[in-house]
Amino acid sequence: MSAASTKTDIAATQAALKSGKQTSIELTTQLLAEIDKRRDLNAFVQITREQALKQAAASDALLRAGKGRALEGVPISIKANMCAKGIETTAASRVLEGFVPTYTATVVQKIMDAGAVIVGSTNMDEFGMGSSTENSCYGPSKNPIGVALGKPDLSPGGSSGGGAAAVAANLCFASLATDTGGSIRQPASFCGVVGFKPSYGLCSRWGIMAYASSLDQAGVIGKTVRDTATVLDVMIGEDVKDSTSLKPVGTSLVAALDDQAKKKWRVGFPREFRDLVQTPILKSVWEAAEQRVKAMGGELVEVSLPHAKYALPAYYILALSEASSNLARYDGVRYGHRSATASDITDMYEKSRAEGFGRETKKRILLGTFALSAGYYDQYYEKARRIRTLLANDFRAAFKSVDVLVWPTTPTPPFAFNSHSADPLTMYLEDVFTVPVNLAGLPAVSIPILSSPEGLPMGLTVTGPHLGDQAVARVAHEIEREIG
Ligand code: GLN
């Protein structure tokens, strides 16, 4: 039997597994060895070696019997905020140190039921709060492309930086991740891989630690659009345990990729995004996007999103407000860290939270609590909520004249650690192109579009109307094909 390849995509891996050219045990063993070799990346926070090998053996038996399921024997990682029975799950926070869930998140269970081999959980910013993985209690992950270029201080992005690094370094075939304001797309862009955040409601969030519930969505980081679609098709579905989850509409995403029926795509680009930041690298991204759309026979149309410029401040008010409420549950009573030095119960709550949460998380809880407080609620939360509606209306109007929209995923190539520490606001500005999508609940995919002169990746975002995930997948796939 030939040596297992961890560098291929899921489709090729599945073909090799089905034909018996490769076994899942060989593949998983090799992958675990590579994960060990790349400890420098700090991509994984848990490696589930024994469980993975057991799952791989079970997959091999099913494959031999010709009974392989949709993801049979394919090694996949999950983000550290997704509960998995028996695996310590902390969302990269000290406040959840030692928390071992007795249940498994719906999306994780679904990929396991489809035969995926879970190799471990990946690093992230605490509770998803950040854009660089610098806010993780495990320390930051490294950007594999940066490391290869001799620049180990470059961030892999965040919050799902560990997952994107793991996929980019061929340490798993895909990584389940979450996206509240860009946490799938921005790290995918920074690590030169694909990140797919489906429409709000398509994947159940049950068993995933909440950051901002009206924005949180699960999705996938993978090597190709097809790989992310393959995994998402398994994850998507209504779940009685998450009342916001929806029944899928239309064909499967993979079927949408192979659908030859459509036509000349009308692809919009929002004028406000083009005018917002004008740098040589962004100009190159816009130009490359234009070329690709033309090469695939699409028509480019300028559209306007008049309220897009308010999206970032609105996002940070809404996300932090919701976080302040969601994170109230971490009090040292039922799970996670409890202060050893508390004198009474109030002191115990206060000290457990003060010791358990990281600096950025504490800041966000305070800001969110302030925005929701009596007297300020109308001025901040209510205003932000209205902007959200106006922005969603802008998108709805735009999608009357175009099928999808494209724009750069990030304003810059991967930045260095500590480069935003002097002025924390500059870190929030990194999310300018990703948060509008979450405010409107839209599906979006980031695909690598070009490399900067220094060899650093830049991503292009393809977005569509709510529940227009098939169109988004299809156009992203066509642009990806044009790039080769
Ligand atoms: N960077 C954004 C934030 O810090 C988005 C994070 C996310 O999507 N989880 O809120």
Side-chain angles (χ1 to χ4, degrees):
M1 245 170 244
S2 60
S5 176
T6 56
K7 295 189 174 60
T8 51
D9 62 9
I10 291 182
T13 305
Q14 283 177 318
L17 287 170
K18 256 187 213 140
S19 68
K21 269 202 199 115
Q22 201 171 86
T23 66
S24 181
I25 279 281
E26 289 172 324
L27 189 60
T28 306
T29 306
Q30 171 141 357
L31 209 92
L32 289 166
E34 272 161 37
I35 291 174
D36 281 340
K37 267 194 246 153
R38 294 311 307 270
R39 296 276 179 156
D40 64 307
L41 295 176
N42 198 24
F44 282 82
V45 303
Q46 296 286 335
I47 300 164
T48 50
R49 192 177 307 276
E50 275 160 39
Q51 187 187 323
L53 291 171
K54 242 189 239 164
Q55 280 179 321
S59 284
D60 283 335
L62 286 172
L63 285 162
R64 272 196 303 274
K67 290 188 182 148
R69 297 159 290 177
L71 296 171
E72 199 69 68
V74 179
I76 289 178
S77 64
I78 60 174
K79 189 168 172 176
N81 60 354
M82 297 177 164
C83 290
K85 191 175 167 181
I87 302 172
E88 183 181 270
T89 308
T90 65
S93 179
R94 275 202 63 208
V95 91
L96 276 167
E97 216 164 55
F99 173 61
V100 180
T102 52
Y103 49 85
T104 299
T106 299
V107 286
V108 176
Q109 191 63 53
K110 279 182 157 234
I111 65 158
M112 286 169 70
D113 291 345
V117 172
I118 310 289
V119 286
S121 61
T122 56
N123 199 14
M124 58 184 286
D125 288 293
E126 184 174 12
F127 290 107
M129 298 177 171
S131 312
S132 68
T133 71
E134 287 169 285
N135 300 331
S136 164
C137 71
Y138 305 105
S141 297
K142 292 203 167 116
N143 186 320
I145 297 182
V147 172
L149 292 171
K151 294 177 180 162
D153 65 333
L154 290 183
S155 168
S159 65
S160 319
V167 171
N170 295 306
L171 305 181
C172 55
F173 288 88
S175 192
L176 265 51
T178 56
D179 190 312
T180 305
S183 280
I184 287 177
R185 293 157 285 151
Q186 185 255 19
S189 175
F190 272 21
C191 293
V193 292
V194 175
F196 197 148
K197 179 202 96 74
S199 291
Y200 184 78
L202 276 190
C203 290
S204 163
R205 286 95 45 84
W206 190 81
I208 299 176
M209 286 151 187
Y211 165 11
S213 309
S214 78
L215 301 156
D216 294 344
Q217 184 52 206
V220 183
I221 296 173
K223 297 178 192 178
T224 63
V225 175
R226 183 176 293 276
D227 280 3
T228 57
T230 302
V231 180
L232 263 177
D233 274 337
V234 172
M235 292 164 69
I236 283 171
E238 198 180 15
D239 179 10
V240 288
K241 291 185 259 180
D242 176 355
S243 61
T244 64
S245 68
L246 301 171
K247 274 200 181 65
V249 291
T251 64
S252 77
L253 296 171
V254 170
L257 300 187
D258 298 327
D259 174 14
Q260 296 303 318
K262 188 161 181 175
K263 76 172 200 198
K264 196 172 165 85
W265 293 93
R266 286 174 67 81
V267 180
F269 62 94
R271 157 179 355 131
E272 289 78 6
F273 285 168
R274 192 198 45 201
D275 298 345
L276 199 63
V277 202
Q278 286 171 331
T279 54
I281 186 77
L282 284 186
K283 197 163 167 265
S284 306
V285 174
W286 286 112
E287 280 167 7
E290 193 177 331
Q291 276 168 19
R292 301 304 160 213
V293 170
K294 285 195 178 139
M296 64 175 245
E299 186 187 342
L300 268 170
V301 186
E302 183 176 297
V303 300
S304 173
L305 303 171
H307 299 92
K309 55 178 174 293
Y310 306 117
L312 194 66
Y315 168 82
Y316 271 96
I317 287 170
L318 295 170
L320 274 47
S321 298
E322 291 186 33
S324 72
S325 160
N326 271 328
L327 271 54
R329 75 191 69 177
Y330 304 110
D331 55 8
V333 176
R334 282 156 296 180
Y335 31 65
H337 174 75
R338 178 182 298 181
S339 174
T341 61
S343 55
D344 59 29
I345 186 147
T346 311
D347 196 37
M348 194 269 282
Y349 294 149
E350 287 175 1
K351 283 207 175 114
S352 299
R353 286 169 69 79
E355 293 164 10
F357 288 127
R359 201 182 141 78
E360 177 68 20
T361 303
K362 279 188 234 180
K363 185 171 83 190
R364 292 187 184 209
I365 293 172
L366 289 172
L367 286 168
T369 307
F370 175 76
L372 289 177
S373 59
Y376 292 103
Y377 180 90
D378 289 346
Q379 211 176 323
Y380 294 106
Y381 185 81
E382 187 53 26
K383 236 189 212 169
R385 217 181 49 76
R386 286 183 194 190
I387 288 171
R388 181 177 196 173
T389 306
L390 292 171
L391 180 69
N393 290 342
D394 285 356
F395 275 115
R396 233 171 268 133
F399 288 124
K400 281 197 180 124
S401 57
V402 297
D403 299 304
V404 295
L405 294 169
V406 295
W407 67 77
T409 304
T410 61
T412 63
F415 50 77
F417 298 123
N418 295 318
S419 55
H420 295 301
S421 46
D423 179 3
L425 260 189
T426 58
M427 183 70 98
Y428 297 171
L429 286 171
E430 293 288 341
D431 301 334
V432 65
F433 292 139
T434 51
V435 300
V437 159
N438 302 75
L439 288 173
L442 309 178
V445 183
S446 177
I447 52 172
I449 180 109
L450 56 81
S451 288
S452 73
E454 304 79 44
L456 298 172
M458 290 291 289
L460 182 76
T461 290
V462 181
T463 302
H466 185 240
L467 300 181
D469 298 62
Q470 287 88 351
V472 163
R474 173 78 187 278
V475 173
H477 176 61
E478 301 230 344
I479 297 178
E480 179 186 51
R481 215 165 27 195
E482 284 305 322
I483 300 165

